[in-house]
Short mmCIF file of all heavy atoms in Angstrom, two decimals:
data_model
loop_
_atom_site.label_atom_id
_atom_site.label_comp_id
_atom_site.label_asym_id
_atom_site.label_seq_id
_atom_site.Cartn_x
_atom_site.Cartn_y
_atom_site.Cartn_z
N MET A 1 88.66 82.64 118.34
CA MET A 1 89.95 82.01 118.14
C MET A 1 90.84 82.37 119.32
O MET A 1 90.81 83.47 119.82
CB MET A 1 90.54 82.48 116.83
CG MET A 1 91.88 81.90 116.55
SD MET A 1 92.35 82.26 114.85
CE MET A 1 93.46 80.92 114.61
N HIS A 2 91.68 81.45 119.73
CA HIS A 2 92.52 81.66 120.91
C HIS A 2 93.82 82.37 120.55
O HIS A 2 94.92 81.86 120.76
CB HIS A 2 92.84 80.32 121.58
CG HIS A 2 91.63 79.61 122.06
ND1 HIS A 2 91.00 79.96 123.22
CD2 HIS A 2 90.92 78.59 121.53
CE1 HIS A 2 89.95 79.17 123.39
NE2 HIS A 2 89.87 78.34 122.37
N THR A 3 93.68 83.56 120.00
CA THR A 3 94.88 84.35 119.71
C THR A 3 95.30 85.07 120.97
O THR A 3 94.52 85.25 121.91
CB THR A 3 94.61 85.37 118.60
OG1 THR A 3 93.50 86.18 118.99
CG2 THR A 3 94.32 84.68 117.28
N ASP A 4 96.55 85.49 121.00
CA ASP A 4 97.07 86.17 122.19
C ASP A 4 96.26 87.40 122.54
O ASP A 4 95.99 87.67 123.71
CB ASP A 4 98.54 86.56 121.98
CG ASP A 4 99.47 85.35 121.98
OD1 ASP A 4 99.01 84.24 122.36
OD2 ASP A 4 100.64 85.53 121.62
N ASP A 5 95.85 88.18 121.53
CA ASP A 5 95.08 89.39 121.83
C ASP A 5 93.73 89.06 122.47
O ASP A 5 93.28 89.74 123.38
CB ASP A 5 94.91 90.30 120.60
CG ASP A 5 94.16 89.63 119.46
OD1 ASP A 5 94.23 88.39 119.34
OD2 ASP A 5 93.53 90.35 118.68
N ASN A 6 93.10 87.98 122.02
CA ASN A 6 91.83 87.57 122.65
C ASN A 6 92.05 87.08 124.08
O ASN A 6 91.24 87.38 124.97
CB ASN A 6 91.14 86.49 121.82
CG ASN A 6 90.52 87.03 120.55
OD1 ASN A 6 90.15 88.20 120.50
ND2 ASN A 6 90.42 86.21 119.55
N LEU A 7 93.12 86.34 124.31
CA LEU A 7 93.41 85.86 125.67
C LEU A 7 93.73 87.04 126.59
O LEU A 7 93.31 87.07 127.75
CB LEU A 7 94.56 84.86 125.64
CG LEU A 7 94.27 83.53 124.95
CD1 LEU A 7 95.53 82.69 124.82
CD2 LEU A 7 93.19 82.76 125.70
N GLN A 8 94.47 88.03 126.08
CA GLN A 8 94.80 89.21 126.89
C GLN A 8 93.54 89.99 127.25
O GLN A 8 93.41 90.48 128.37
CB GLN A 8 95.79 90.10 126.14
CG GLN A 8 97.17 89.49 126.09
CD GLN A 8 98.12 90.24 125.17
OE1 GLN A 8 97.70 90.96 124.27
NE2 GLN A 8 99.42 90.06 125.38
N ARG A 9 92.59 90.10 126.32
CA ARG A 9 91.33 90.79 126.61
C ARG A 9 90.53 90.09 127.71
O ARG A 9 89.74 90.69 128.40
CB ARG A 9 90.47 90.90 125.35
CG ARG A 9 90.79 92.11 124.49
CD ARG A 9 89.71 92.38 123.47
NE ARG A 9 89.68 91.38 122.43
CZ ARG A 9 90.35 91.47 121.29
NH1 ARG A 9 91.08 92.53 121.04
NH2 ARG A 9 90.28 90.51 120.39
N ARG A 10 90.75 88.78 127.86
CA ARG A 10 90.05 88.01 128.89
C ARG A 10 90.85 87.90 130.18
O ARG A 10 90.51 87.12 131.06
CB ARG A 10 89.73 86.62 128.35
CG ARG A 10 88.74 86.70 127.23
CD ARG A 10 88.47 85.39 126.62
NE ARG A 10 87.60 85.60 125.47
CZ ARG A 10 86.95 84.64 124.87
NH1 ARG A 10 87.07 83.41 125.28
NH2 ARG A 10 86.19 84.91 123.85
N GLY A 11 91.94 88.66 130.28
CA GLY A 11 92.66 88.75 131.53
C GLY A 11 93.93 87.93 131.63
O GLY A 11 94.61 87.98 132.67
N CYS A 12 94.28 87.18 130.61
CA CYS A 12 95.52 86.40 130.66
C CYS A 12 96.70 87.34 130.45
O CYS A 12 96.70 88.15 129.52
CB CYS A 12 95.54 85.32 129.58
SG CYS A 12 94.38 84.00 129.86
N SER A 13 97.68 87.22 131.31
CA SER A 13 98.89 88.02 131.17
C SER A 13 99.93 87.18 130.45
O SER A 13 100.38 86.15 130.96
CB SER A 13 99.40 88.43 132.55
OG SER A 13 100.58 89.18 132.43
N LEU A 14 100.27 87.59 129.24
CA LEU A 14 101.26 86.83 128.48
C LEU A 14 101.97 87.74 127.49
O LEU A 14 101.48 88.79 127.14
CB LEU A 14 100.61 85.64 127.76
CG LEU A 14 99.37 85.90 126.92
CD1 LEU A 14 99.72 86.34 125.52
CD2 LEU A 14 98.53 84.64 126.89
N VAL A 15 103.12 87.28 127.05
CA VAL A 15 103.86 87.99 126.03
C VAL A 15 103.37 87.46 124.68
O VAL A 15 103.30 86.26 124.48
CB VAL A 15 105.38 87.75 126.17
CG1 VAL A 15 106.14 88.40 125.04
CG2 VAL A 15 105.86 88.26 127.52
N SER A 16 103.00 88.37 123.81
CA SER A 16 102.42 87.97 122.54
C SER A 16 103.46 87.96 121.43
O SER A 16 104.21 88.91 121.24
CB SER A 16 101.30 88.93 122.16
OG SER A 16 100.76 88.59 120.90
N ILE A 17 103.47 86.85 120.69
CA ILE A 17 104.28 86.78 119.47
C ILE A 17 103.65 85.76 118.54
O ILE A 17 103.13 84.73 118.98
CB ILE A 17 105.76 86.43 119.76
CG1 ILE A 17 106.60 86.60 118.52
CG2 ILE A 17 105.87 85.02 120.30
CD1 ILE A 17 108.09 86.67 118.80
N CYS A 18 103.64 86.08 117.27
CA CYS A 18 103.09 85.17 116.27
C CYS A 18 103.96 83.91 116.25
O CYS A 18 105.18 83.99 116.09
CB CYS A 18 103.08 85.85 114.90
SG CYS A 18 102.59 84.74 113.56
N THR A 19 103.33 82.75 116.40
CA THR A 19 104.10 81.51 116.43
C THR A 19 104.59 81.09 115.05
O THR A 19 105.43 80.21 114.94
CB THR A 19 103.25 80.36 117.03
OG1 THR A 19 102.04 80.25 116.29
CG2 THR A 19 102.96 80.62 118.49
N LEU A 20 104.07 81.73 114.01
CA LEU A 20 104.52 81.40 112.65
C LEU A 20 105.74 82.20 112.25
O LEU A 20 106.78 81.65 111.91
CB LEU A 20 103.38 81.63 111.65
CG LEU A 20 102.15 80.76 111.85
CD1 LEU A 20 101.04 81.19 110.91
CD2 LEU A 20 102.50 79.30 111.65
N CYS A 21 105.63 83.53 112.29
CA CYS A 21 106.74 84.36 111.82
C CYS A 21 107.65 84.84 112.95
O CYS A 21 108.77 85.27 112.69
CB CYS A 21 106.21 85.56 111.04
SG CYS A 21 105.30 86.77 112.04
N LYS A 22 107.18 84.77 114.15
CA LYS A 22 107.94 85.20 115.33
C LYS A 22 108.46 86.63 115.22
O LYS A 22 109.51 86.97 115.75
CB LYS A 22 109.09 84.23 115.62
CG LYS A 22 108.60 82.81 115.88
CD LYS A 22 109.68 81.92 116.31
CE LYS A 22 109.28 80.49 116.52
NZ LYS A 22 107.93 80.09 116.62
N ALA A 23 107.70 87.47 114.50
CA ALA A 23 108.14 88.84 114.29
C ALA A 23 107.07 89.87 114.63
O ALA A 23 107.35 91.07 114.62
CB ALA A 23 108.56 89.04 112.83
N HIS A 24 105.84 89.44 114.91
CA HIS A 24 104.74 90.37 115.17
C HIS A 24 103.92 89.87 116.34
O HIS A 24 103.99 88.70 116.71
CB HIS A 24 103.83 90.49 113.94
CG HIS A 24 104.53 91.03 112.75
ND1 HIS A 24 104.68 92.37 112.54
CD2 HIS A 24 105.12 90.42 111.71
CE1 HIS A 24 105.33 92.56 111.41
NE2 HIS A 24 105.61 91.38 110.89
N LEU A 25 103.08 90.77 116.87
CA LEU A 25 102.12 90.36 117.88
C LEU A 25 101.13 89.39 117.25
O LEU A 25 100.80 89.52 116.07
CB LEU A 25 101.36 91.58 118.42
CG LEU A 25 102.17 92.65 119.12
CD1 LEU A 25 101.26 93.81 119.52
CD2 LEU A 25 102.89 92.09 120.33
N GLU A 26 100.65 88.44 118.04
CA GLU A 26 99.68 87.50 117.51
C GLU A 26 98.28 88.07 117.70
O GLU A 26 97.73 88.06 118.79
CB GLU A 26 99.78 86.15 118.23
CG GLU A 26 98.83 85.12 117.62
CD GLU A 26 98.79 83.85 118.44
OE1 GLU A 26 98.05 83.83 119.45
OE2 GLU A 26 99.50 82.91 118.10
N THR A 27 97.74 88.61 116.64
CA THR A 27 96.36 89.10 116.62
C THR A 27 95.63 88.38 115.50
O THR A 27 96.25 87.83 114.57
CB THR A 27 96.30 90.61 116.35
OG1 THR A 27 96.81 90.87 115.03
CG2 THR A 27 97.11 91.39 117.39
N SER A 28 94.31 88.39 115.57
CA SER A 28 93.52 87.76 114.49
C SER A 28 93.84 88.42 113.16
O SER A 28 94.00 87.73 112.14
CB SER A 28 92.03 87.88 114.79
OG SER A 28 91.71 87.20 115.97
N GLU A 29 93.93 89.74 113.15
CA GLU A 29 94.20 90.46 111.91
C GLU A 29 95.56 90.05 111.34
O GLU A 29 95.70 89.84 110.13
CB GLU A 29 94.15 91.98 112.14
CG GLU A 29 92.76 92.51 112.35
CD GLU A 29 92.21 92.20 113.75
OE1 GLU A 29 93.00 91.91 114.66
OE2 GLU A 29 90.98 92.24 113.92
N HIS A 30 96.55 89.94 112.20
CA HIS A 30 97.87 89.54 111.71
C HIS A 30 97.82 88.12 111.15
O HIS A 30 98.31 87.87 110.05
CB HIS A 30 98.92 89.63 112.83
CG HIS A 30 100.24 89.07 112.40
ND1 HIS A 30 101.08 89.71 111.53
CD2 HIS A 30 100.83 87.88 112.70
CE1 HIS A 30 102.14 88.95 111.30
NE2 HIS A 30 102.02 87.83 112.01
N LEU A 31 97.22 87.19 111.90
CA LEU A 31 97.20 85.79 111.47
C LEU A 31 96.44 85.59 110.17
O LEU A 31 96.82 84.76 109.35
CB LEU A 31 96.58 84.90 112.56
CG LEU A 31 97.44 84.68 113.79
CD1 LEU A 31 96.66 83.87 114.82
CD2 LEU A 31 98.73 83.99 113.44
N TYR A 32 95.36 86.35 109.96
CA TYR A 32 94.55 86.15 108.77
C TYR A 32 94.91 87.07 107.61
O TYR A 32 94.60 86.76 106.46
CB TYR A 32 93.06 86.34 109.09
CG TYR A 32 92.48 85.19 109.85
CD1 TYR A 32 92.27 85.30 111.22
CD2 TYR A 32 92.16 84.01 109.23
CE1 TYR A 32 91.75 84.25 111.95
CE2 TYR A 32 91.65 82.95 109.94
CZ TYR A 32 91.44 83.07 111.29
OH TYR A 32 90.94 82.02 112.00
N LEU A 33 95.54 88.22 107.90
CA LEU A 33 95.70 89.21 106.84
C LEU A 33 97.14 89.55 106.47
O LEU A 33 97.42 89.83 105.31
CB LEU A 33 94.99 90.51 107.24
CG LEU A 33 93.51 90.39 107.58
CD1 LEU A 33 92.98 91.71 108.10
CD2 LEU A 33 92.72 89.90 106.38
N SER A 34 98.04 89.56 107.43
CA SER A 34 99.35 90.12 107.10
C SER A 34 100.55 89.26 107.45
O SER A 34 101.67 89.62 107.12
CB SER A 34 99.50 91.49 107.79
OG SER A 34 99.44 91.34 109.20
N CYS A 35 100.36 88.15 108.10
CA CYS A 35 101.50 87.30 108.43
C CYS A 35 102.16 86.82 107.12
O CYS A 35 101.46 86.39 106.21
CB CYS A 35 101.06 86.10 109.27
SG CYS A 35 102.45 85.04 109.74
N PRO A 36 103.46 86.89 107.03
CA PRO A 36 104.12 86.42 105.80
C PRO A 36 103.83 84.97 105.46
O PRO A 36 103.99 84.55 104.32
CB PRO A 36 105.61 86.61 106.11
CG PRO A 36 105.67 87.59 107.23
CD PRO A 36 104.40 87.44 108.00
N PHE A 37 103.38 84.20 106.42
CA PHE A 37 103.06 82.81 106.15
C PHE A 37 101.65 82.64 105.58
O PHE A 37 101.36 81.62 104.97
CB PHE A 37 103.20 81.97 107.43
CG PHE A 37 104.63 81.68 107.78
CD1 PHE A 37 105.40 82.63 108.43
CD2 PHE A 37 105.22 80.47 107.43
CE1 PHE A 37 106.72 82.38 108.73
CE2 PHE A 37 106.54 80.21 107.73
CZ PHE A 37 107.30 81.17 108.38
N VAL A 38 100.77 83.60 105.78
CA VAL A 38 99.40 83.46 105.31
C VAL A 38 99.19 84.06 103.92
O VAL A 38 98.32 83.61 103.17
CB VAL A 38 98.40 84.05 106.33
CG1 VAL A 38 98.36 85.56 106.27
CG2 VAL A 38 97.02 83.48 106.13
N ILE A 39 100.00 85.02 103.55
CA ILE A 39 99.84 85.67 102.24
C ILE A 39 99.93 84.65 101.10
O ILE A 39 99.06 84.64 100.21
CB ILE A 39 100.88 86.80 102.06
CG1 ILE A 39 100.72 87.87 103.15
CG2 ILE A 39 100.79 87.40 100.66
CD1 ILE A 39 99.41 88.58 103.14
N PRO A 40 100.91 83.75 101.10
CA PRO A 40 100.94 82.74 100.02
C PRO A 40 99.72 81.83 100.01
O PRO A 40 99.31 81.34 98.95
CB PRO A 40 102.21 81.94 100.30
CG PRO A 40 103.07 82.84 101.12
CD PRO A 40 102.11 83.67 101.94
N ILE A 41 99.12 81.60 101.17
CA ILE A 41 97.91 80.76 101.20
C ILE A 41 96.77 81.46 100.50
O ILE A 41 96.05 80.85 99.70
CB ILE A 41 97.53 80.42 102.66
CG1 ILE A 41 98.62 79.52 103.26
CG2 ILE A 41 96.17 79.72 102.72
CD1 ILE A 41 98.47 79.28 104.74
N TRP A 42 96.59 82.77 100.73
CA TRP A 42 95.54 83.52 100.03
C TRP A 42 95.82 83.57 98.54
O TRP A 42 94.92 83.45 97.72
CB TRP A 42 95.42 84.94 100.59
CG TRP A 42 94.85 84.97 101.98
CD1 TRP A 42 95.45 85.45 103.10
CD2 TRP A 42 93.57 84.49 102.40
NE1 TRP A 42 94.63 85.28 104.19
CE2 TRP A 42 93.48 84.70 103.78
CE3 TRP A 42 92.50 83.91 101.74
CZ2 TRP A 42 92.34 84.34 104.51
CZ3 TRP A 42 91.37 83.54 102.46
CH2 TRP A 42 91.31 83.77 103.84
N GLN A 43 97.10 83.73 98.19
CA GLN A 43 97.45 83.76 96.76
C GLN A 43 97.15 82.40 96.11
O GLN A 43 96.66 82.34 94.99
CB GLN A 43 98.93 84.13 96.60
CG GLN A 43 99.21 85.56 96.99
CD GLN A 43 100.69 85.88 97.07
OE1 GLN A 43 101.52 84.98 97.23
NE2 GLN A 43 101.03 87.15 97.00
N TRP A 44 97.44 81.34 96.81
CA TRP A 44 97.16 79.99 96.29
C TRP A 44 95.65 79.81 96.13
O TRP A 44 95.20 79.31 95.09
CB TRP A 44 97.75 78.94 97.22
CG TRP A 44 97.38 77.55 96.81
CD1 TRP A 44 97.93 76.81 95.79
CD2 TRP A 44 96.35 76.74 97.38
NE1 TRP A 44 97.29 75.60 95.70
CE2 TRP A 44 96.32 75.52 96.66
CE3 TRP A 44 95.45 76.93 98.42
CZ2 TRP A 44 95.44 74.50 96.96
CZ3 TRP A 44 94.56 75.90 98.72
CH2 TRP A 44 94.57 74.71 97.98
N LEU A 45 94.88 80.20 97.13
CA LEU A 45 93.42 80.07 97.03
C LEU A 45 92.88 80.86 95.85
O LEU A 45 91.98 80.40 95.15
CB LEU A 45 92.75 80.52 98.34
CG LEU A 45 92.80 79.52 99.48
CD1 LEU A 45 92.29 80.16 100.77
CD2 LEU A 45 92.00 78.27 99.15
N SER A 46 93.43 82.05 95.62
CA SER A 46 92.99 82.86 94.47
C SER A 46 93.33 82.19 93.15
O SER A 46 92.64 82.38 92.16
CB SER A 46 93.62 84.25 94.52
OG SER A 46 93.08 84.99 95.57
N SER A 47 94.40 81.40 93.14
CA SER A 47 94.77 80.71 91.90
C SER A 47 93.92 79.46 91.67
O SER A 47 93.72 79.04 90.54
CB SER A 47 96.26 80.34 91.92
OG SER A 47 96.50 79.27 92.83
N VAL A 48 93.42 78.87 92.74
CA VAL A 48 92.62 77.66 92.64
C VAL A 48 91.15 77.98 92.36
O VAL A 48 90.50 77.33 91.56
CB VAL A 48 92.74 76.81 93.92
CG1 VAL A 48 91.78 75.64 93.92
CG2 VAL A 48 94.18 76.33 94.10
N PHE A 49 90.64 79.00 93.04
CA PHE A 49 89.24 79.40 92.88
C PHE A 49 89.18 80.75 92.16
O PHE A 49 90.08 81.56 92.29
CB PHE A 49 88.56 79.53 94.25
CG PHE A 49 88.53 78.23 95.01
CD1 PHE A 49 89.42 78.02 96.06
CD2 PHE A 49 87.63 77.23 94.67
CE1 PHE A 49 89.41 76.82 96.76
CE2 PHE A 49 87.62 76.04 95.36
CZ PHE A 49 88.51 75.82 96.41
N PRO A 50 88.13 80.99 91.42
CA PRO A 50 88.02 82.28 90.72
C PRO A 50 87.57 83.40 91.68
O PRO A 50 86.55 84.04 91.48
CB PRO A 50 86.96 82.00 89.65
CG PRO A 50 86.09 80.95 90.27
CD PRO A 50 87.01 80.10 91.11
N ILE A 51 88.35 83.61 92.71
CA ILE A 51 88.03 84.61 93.73
C ILE A 51 89.22 85.54 93.91
O ILE A 51 90.36 85.08 94.04
CB ILE A 51 87.71 83.94 95.09
CG1 ILE A 51 86.55 82.98 94.98
CG2 ILE A 51 87.43 85.01 96.14
CD1 ILE A 51 86.34 82.13 96.22
N GLN A 52 88.96 86.83 93.90
CA GLN A 52 90.00 87.80 94.23
C GLN A 52 89.78 88.23 95.67
O GLN A 52 88.78 88.86 95.97
CB GLN A 52 89.94 89.01 93.29
CG GLN A 52 91.10 89.95 93.44
CD GLN A 52 92.43 89.29 93.06
OE1 GLN A 52 92.50 88.53 92.12
NE2 GLN A 52 93.47 89.59 93.84
N PHE A 53 90.67 87.85 96.57
CA PHE A 53 90.51 88.18 97.97
C PHE A 53 91.02 89.58 98.27
O PHE A 53 92.12 89.94 97.87
CB PHE A 53 91.26 87.18 98.86
CG PHE A 53 90.65 85.81 98.84
CD1 PHE A 53 91.21 84.80 98.09
CD2 PHE A 53 89.51 85.54 99.58
CE1 PHE A 53 90.65 83.54 98.06
CE2 PHE A 53 88.93 84.29 99.57
CZ PHE A 53 89.51 83.29 98.80
N ASN A 54 90.19 90.34 98.96
CA ASN A 54 90.58 91.66 99.45
C ASN A 54 91.05 91.46 100.89
O ASN A 54 90.26 91.16 101.78
CB ASN A 54 89.38 92.60 99.40
CG ASN A 54 89.70 93.97 99.95
OD1 ASN A 54 90.77 94.20 100.50
ND2 ASN A 54 88.76 94.89 99.81
N LEU A 55 92.34 91.64 101.13
CA LEU A 55 92.91 91.38 102.44
C LEU A 55 92.90 92.62 103.34
O LEU A 55 93.69 92.73 104.27
CB LEU A 55 94.33 90.84 102.30
CG LEU A 55 94.46 89.52 101.52
CD1 LEU A 55 95.91 89.07 101.48
CD2 LEU A 55 93.57 88.44 102.10
N SER A 56 91.97 93.54 103.09
CA SER A 56 91.88 94.74 103.94
C SER A 56 91.34 94.42 105.32
O SER A 56 91.71 95.05 106.30
CB SER A 56 90.98 95.79 103.28
OG SER A 56 91.51 96.16 102.04
N SER A 57 90.43 93.45 105.38
CA SER A 57 89.86 93.08 106.67
C SER A 57 89.32 91.65 106.58
O SER A 57 89.11 91.14 105.48
CB SER A 57 88.74 94.03 107.07
OG SER A 57 87.61 93.80 106.25
N ILE A 58 89.09 91.04 107.71
CA ILE A 58 88.52 89.70 107.74
C ILE A 58 87.12 89.72 107.14
O ILE A 58 86.73 88.82 106.40
CB ILE A 58 88.53 89.15 109.18
CG1 ILE A 58 89.99 88.94 109.62
CG2 ILE A 58 87.76 87.83 109.27
CD1 ILE A 58 90.15 88.59 111.08
N ALA A 59 86.37 90.80 107.39
CA ALA A 59 85.02 90.93 106.82
C ALA A 59 85.09 90.95 105.30
O ALA A 59 84.23 90.36 104.63
CB ALA A 59 84.34 92.18 107.36
N ASP A 60 86.08 91.61 104.73
CA ASP A 60 86.22 91.65 103.27
C ASP A 60 86.52 90.27 102.71
O ASP A 60 86.06 89.92 101.62
CB ASP A 60 87.31 92.64 102.87
CG ASP A 60 86.86 94.08 103.03
OD1 ASP A 60 85.65 94.35 102.91
OD2 ASP A 60 87.73 94.94 103.29
N ILE A 61 87.30 89.47 103.43
CA ILE A 61 87.58 88.10 102.98
C ILE A 61 86.29 87.29 102.97
O ILE A 61 86.00 86.57 102.02
CB ILE A 61 88.64 87.44 103.88
CG1 ILE A 61 89.99 88.11 103.67
CG2 ILE A 61 88.74 85.94 103.58
CD1 ILE A 61 91.05 87.64 104.65
N LEU A 62 85.51 87.43 104.02
CA LEU A 62 84.25 86.69 104.09
C LEU A 62 83.30 87.12 102.99
O LEU A 62 82.56 86.30 102.44
CB LEU A 62 83.62 86.86 105.47
CG LEU A 62 84.43 86.24 106.63
CD1 LEU A 62 83.78 86.57 107.96
CD2 LEU A 62 84.58 84.74 106.45
N LYS A 63 83.30 88.41 102.64
CA LYS A 63 82.45 88.89 101.55
C LYS A 63 82.82 88.21 100.23
O LYS A 63 81.96 87.91 99.41
CB LYS A 63 82.59 90.40 101.39
CG LYS A 63 81.89 91.20 102.45
CD LYS A 63 82.12 92.69 102.21
CE LYS A 63 81.75 93.50 103.42
NZ LYS A 63 82.20 94.91 103.28
N ALA A 64 84.12 87.97 100.02
CA ALA A 64 84.58 87.33 98.78
C ALA A 64 84.05 85.91 98.68
O ALA A 64 83.94 85.36 97.58
CB ALA A 64 86.10 87.34 98.72
N CYS A 65 83.74 85.29 99.79
CA CYS A 65 83.25 83.91 99.80
C CYS A 65 81.75 83.83 99.71
O CYS A 65 81.19 82.74 99.70
CB CYS A 65 83.72 83.20 101.08
SG CYS A 65 85.51 83.10 101.21
N ASN A 66 81.06 84.95 99.62
CA ASN A 66 79.61 84.97 99.52
C ASN A 66 79.23 84.86 98.05
O ASN A 66 79.36 85.80 97.28
CB ASN A 66 79.06 86.27 100.12
CG ASN A 66 77.56 86.26 100.17
OD1 ASN A 66 76.92 85.30 99.78
ND2 ASN A 66 77.00 87.34 100.67
N PHE A 67 78.77 83.67 97.64
CA PHE A 67 78.49 83.42 96.24
C PHE A 67 77.03 83.64 95.86
O PHE A 67 76.59 83.22 94.83
CB PHE A 67 78.88 81.98 95.88
CG PHE A 67 80.35 81.76 95.96
CD1 PHE A 67 80.87 80.95 96.94
CD2 PHE A 67 81.21 82.36 95.06
CE1 PHE A 67 82.24 80.73 97.02
CE2 PHE A 67 82.58 82.15 95.13
CZ PHE A 67 83.08 81.33 96.11
N HIS A 68 76.24 84.29 96.68
CA HIS A 68 74.81 84.47 96.36
C HIS A 68 74.62 85.40 95.20
O HIS A 68 75.17 86.33 94.93
CB HIS A 68 74.05 85.00 97.59
CG HIS A 68 74.06 84.01 98.71
ND1 HIS A 68 73.34 82.85 98.68
CD2 HIS A 68 74.74 84.00 99.88
CE1 HIS A 68 73.55 82.18 99.79
NE2 HIS A 68 74.41 82.84 100.53
ZN1 ZN B 101 103.13 86.12 111.78
#
């Protein structure tokens, strides 16, 4: 994903800010786990599907989607 932290790791010099909340650095973890704009989306998904999402890490979210 083209987040600011990934672009910086590849040598791009830029100032990082989340384009949604404009209050935090734009990292994958922030965008998927802690941005105030994404939390309601996870809550909505939990209400629609019988899944309890663990927002500790992206890997934990993916584990919740493993229905095997
Ligand atoms: Zn944010």
Side-chain angles (χ1 to χ4, degrees):
M1 179 169 205
H2 299 282
T3 56
D4 289 348
D5 61 331
N6 286 332
L7 293 172
Q8 288 171 338
R9 274 195 290 269
R10 294 176 185 194
C12 291
S13 178
L14 50 86
V15 175
S16 178
I17 190 163
C18 174
T19 55
L20 297 174
C21 68
K22 300 187 183 345
H24 297 276
L25 298 177
E26 184 188 82
T27 65
S28 298
E29 288 75 20
H30 173 73
L31 287 176
Y32 285 102
L33 304 174
S34 62
C35 182
F37 284 81
V38 77
I39 300 297
I41 294 172
W42 290 119
Q43 292 170 338
W44 174 78
L45 282 172
S46 290
S47 72
V48 172
F49 298 103
I51 301 171
Q52 188 64 39
F53 291 102
N54 178 352
L55 300 181
S56 300
S57 71
I58 293 172
D60 286 330
I61 291 173
L62 294 175
K63 285 179 194 169
C65 298
N66 186 0
F67 294 111
H68 296 288

